[in-house]
Amino acid sequence: MIFEIVVTGKLKTDFIKKGVERYLKWLSPYAVIKITTLPLGKGNNIEEIKKEEAKRYLSILEAEKYAHILILDERGEMPTSVRFASKLKTWQNRSVKKVFFLIGGPYGFSSEILRSKWELLSLSKLTFTHEMTVLLLLEQLYRAETILLGKTYHY
Protein backbone atom coordinates (compact mmCIF):
# COMPACT_ATOMS: atom_id res chain seq x y z
CA MET A 1 0.00 0.00 0.00
CA ILE A 2 1.13 3.54 -0.69
CA PHE A 3 0.52 6.27 1.88
CA GLU A 4 0.98 9.82 0.69
CA ILE A 5 1.02 12.57 3.28
CA VAL A 6 0.31 15.94 1.67
CA VAL A 7 1.15 18.78 4.03
CA THR A 8 1.10 22.55 3.72
CA GLY A 9 4.42 23.82 5.07
CA LYS A 10 7.91 22.35 5.18
CA LEU A 11 9.40 20.19 7.88
CA LYS A 12 12.04 22.44 9.47
CA THR A 13 12.54 21.36 13.07
CA ASP A 14 15.55 19.05 13.50
CA PHE A 15 14.10 16.69 16.11
CA ILE A 16 10.92 16.25 14.06
CA LYS A 17 12.89 15.58 10.87
CA LYS A 18 14.89 12.92 12.74
CA GLY A 19 11.70 11.34 14.09
CA VAL A 20 10.14 11.37 10.61
CA GLU A 21 13.25 9.68 9.18
CA ARG A 22 13.11 7.02 11.91
CA TYR A 23 9.45 6.17 11.31
CA LEU A 24 9.93 6.17 7.53
CA LYS A 25 12.71 3.62 8.02
CA TRP A 26 10.59 1.50 10.36
CA LEU A 27 7.62 1.63 7.99
CA SER A 28 9.63 0.77 4.86
CA PRO A 29 9.09 -3.03 5.13
CA TYR A 30 5.31 -2.57 5.30
CA ALA A 31 4.33 0.33 3.06
CA VAL A 32 5.58 2.98 0.69
CA ILE A 33 5.36 6.41 2.31
CA LYS A 34 5.58 9.62 0.33
CA ILE A 35 5.55 13.06 1.93
CA THR A 36 4.58 15.92 -0.36
CA THR A 37 5.00 19.43 1.01
CA LEU A 38 3.09 22.36 -0.42
CA PRO A 39 3.96 26.01 0.08
CA LEU A 40 1.89 28.16 2.39
CA GLY A 41 -0.85 30.07 0.62
CA LYS A 42 -0.67 33.79 0.02
CA GLY A 43 -3.48 36.28 0.05
CA ASN A 44 -5.02 39.32 1.65
CA ASN A 45 -7.09 37.38 4.13
CA ILE A 46 -7.41 33.92 5.65
CA GLU A 47 -10.15 32.75 3.26
CA GLU A 48 -8.06 33.66 0.21
CA ILE A 49 -5.10 31.79 1.65
CA LYS A 50 -7.19 28.68 2.37
CA LYS A 51 -8.72 28.77 -1.14
CA GLU A 52 -5.27 28.98 -2.73
CA GLU A 53 -4.10 26.03 -0.63
CA ALA A 54 -7.24 24.08 -1.57
CA LYS A 55 -6.45 24.47 -5.27
CA ARG A 56 -3.08 22.85 -4.66
CA TYR A 57 -4.63 19.88 -2.86
CA LEU A 58 -7.26 19.45 -5.54
CA SER A 59 -4.69 19.55 -8.35
CA ILE A 60 -2.79 16.68 -6.72
CA LEU A 61 -5.92 14.63 -6.09
CA GLU A 62 -7.50 15.24 -9.50
CA ALA A 63 -5.90 12.19 -11.10
CA GLU A 64 -6.37 9.93 -8.06
CA LYS A 65 -9.79 8.46 -8.72
CA TYR A 66 -9.21 5.21 -6.85
CA ALA A 67 -7.34 6.48 -3.82
CA HIS A 68 -8.78 6.79 -0.33
CA ILE A 69 -8.51 10.36 0.96
CA LEU A 70 -8.49 11.47 4.59
CA ILE A 71 -8.44 15.04 5.83
CA LEU A 72 -6.77 15.49 9.19
CA ASP A 73 -9.02 17.86 11.07
CA GLU A 74 -9.99 18.28 14.71
CA ARG A 75 -13.65 17.67 13.81
CA GLY A 76 -12.93 14.27 12.33
CA GLU A 77 -13.41 10.81 13.75
CA MET A 78 -10.89 10.13 16.50
CA PRO A 79 -10.31 6.37 16.42
CA THR A 80 -8.27 4.36 18.88
CA SER A 81 -5.02 2.93 17.57
CA VAL A 82 -6.64 -0.50 17.28
CA ARG A 83 -9.56 0.97 15.31
CA PHE A 84 -7.12 2.86 13.06
CA ALA A 85 -5.29 -0.43 12.39
CA SER A 86 -8.65 -1.97 11.52
CA LYS A 87 -9.23 0.81 8.98
CA LEU A 88 -5.89 0.02 7.35
CA LYS A 89 -6.83 -3.65 7.17
CA THR A 90 -10.16 -2.73 5.56
CA TRP A 91 -8.37 -0.64 2.91
CA GLN A 92 -5.98 -3.52 2.26
CA ASN A 93 -8.89 -5.97 1.95
CA ARG A 94 -10.62 -3.63 -0.52
CA SER A 95 -7.40 -3.49 -2.56
CA VAL A 96 -7.01 0.25 -2.03
CA LYS A 97 -3.62 0.98 -3.58
CA LYS A 98 -3.10 4.49 -2.27
CA VAL A 99 -4.24 6.43 0.79
CA PHE A 100 -3.80 10.20 1.02
CA PHE A 101 -3.60 12.04 4.32
CA LEU A 102 -4.09 15.80 3.95
CA ILE A 103 -2.59 18.08 6.62
CA GLY A 104 -3.57 21.72 6.36
CA GLY A 105 -1.63 24.88 6.95
CA PRO A 106 -1.88 27.20 9.95
CA TYR A 107 -5.43 28.27 9.07
CA GLY A 108 -6.74 24.78 8.38
CA PHE A 109 -8.76 23.83 5.32
CA SER A 110 -11.15 25.79 3.14
CA SER A 111 -14.84 24.95 3.34
CA GLU A 112 -14.53 23.46 -0.14
CA ILE A 113 -12.16 20.79 1.18
CA LEU A 114 -14.09 20.21 4.40
CA ARG A 115 -17.39 19.79 2.51
CA SER A 116 -15.90 17.18 0.19
CA LYS A 117 -16.88 13.53 0.30
CA TRP A 118 -13.55 12.65 1.89
CA GLU A 119 -13.22 11.21 5.35
CA LEU A 120 -12.28 13.46 8.28
CA LEU A 121 -9.77 12.02 10.72
CA SER A 122 -8.54 13.51 13.99
CA LEU A 123 -5.42 12.45 15.85
CA SER A 124 -6.49 14.36 18.96
CA LYS A 125 -8.79 17.07 20.24
CA LEU A 126 -5.62 19.10 20.65
CA THR A 127 -4.20 21.19 17.81
CA PHE A 128 -0.68 20.41 16.59
CA THR A 129 1.70 22.08 14.17
CA HIS A 130 1.81 20.60 10.69
CA GLU A 131 5.28 19.22 11.47
CA MET A 132 4.15 17.50 14.65
CA THR A 133 1.09 16.12 12.87
CA VAL A 134 3.28 14.43 10.25
CA LEU A 135 5.36 12.80 12.99
CA LEU A 136 2.31 11.67 14.99
CA LEU A 137 0.63 10.29 11.87
CA LEU A 138 3.73 8.29 10.95
CA GLU A 139 3.89 6.89 14.49
CA GLN A 140 0.25 5.82 14.25
CA LEU A 141 0.79 4.23 10.84
CA TYR A 142 3.72 2.27 12.26
CA ARG A 143 1.69 1.32 15.33
CA ALA A 144 -1.18 0.17 13.11
CA GLU A 145 1.11 -2.01 11.03
CA THR A 146 2.58 -3.63 14.15
CA ILE A 147 -0.92 -4.22 15.56
CA LEU A 148 -1.94 -5.96 12.35
CA LEU A 149 1.20 -8.10 12.41
CA GLY A 150 0.88 -8.97 16.13
CA LYS A 151 4.19 -7.35 17.02
CA THR A 152 4.85 -6.08 20.55
CA TYR A 153 5.10 -2.35 19.81
CA HIS A 154 1.49 -1.73 20.92
CA TYR A 155 0.47 -2.91 24.40
Side-chain angles (χ1 to χ4, degrees):
M1 186 174 286
I2 299 170
F3 297 112
E4 184 165 349
I5 300 168
V6 183
V7 56
T8 296
K10 293 182 180 181
L11 302 181
K12 300 177 191 173
T13 308
D14 286 338
F15 81 90
I16 290 178
K17 290 195 291 191
K18 286 179 183 174
V20 166
E21 288 171 14
R22 174 172 285 178
Y23 281 105
L24 289 174
K25 181 179 177 183
W26 288 353
L27 278 160
S28 65
Y30 312 118
V32 174
I33 310 287
K34 180 179 178 189
I35 299 175
T36 301
T37 58
L38 302 176
L40 295 171
K42 294 179 179 155
N44 295 324
N45 61 55
I46 291 172
E47 288 308 311
E48 281 182 23
I49 292 168
K50 291 193 303 188
K51 283 181 183 179
E52 182 184 325
E53 292 172 355
K55 286 178 188 175
R56 293 182 186 140
Y57 284 105
L58 294 171
S59 70
I60 289 172
L61 300 170
E62 214 170 70
E64 300 290 344
K65 295 179 183 173
Y66 302 106
H68 192 82
I69 301 167
L70 293 102
I71 301 166
L72 273 74
D73 184 87
E74 63 189 3
R75 292 161 281 214
E77 176 194 359
M78 194 171 13
T80 65
S81 294
V82 172
R83 174 75 179 113
F84 185 64
S86 176
K87 283 178 171 285
L88 263 64
K89 186 66 174 169
T90 299
W91 300 330
Q92 291 169 350
N93 290 342
R94 291 183 182 164
S95 299
V96 172
K97 301 285 186 231
K98 193 169 192 179
V99 177
F100 280 91
F101 294 94
L102 308 183
I103 300 171
Y107 302 118
F109 291 102
S110 71
S111 57
E112 179 182 14
I113 297 288
L114 292 173
R115 284 192 315 255
S116 70
K117 62 186 181 301
W118 302 320
E119 185 177 349
L120 294 177
L121 174 71
S122 177
L123 296 177
S124 171
K125 290 187 181 204
L126 302 172
T127 301
F128 301 109
T129 66
H130 67 282
E131 290 183 284
M132 190 64 74
T133 302
V134 170
L135 181 59
L136 292 172
L137 176 59
L138 288 172
E139 192 280 336
Q140 284 301 300
L141 287 169
Y142 180 72
R143 182 176 296 274
E145 292 290 355
T146 62
I147 289 168
L148 294 174
L149 293 169
K151 297 196 175 211
T152 58
Y153 182 80
H154 179 77
Y155 295 96

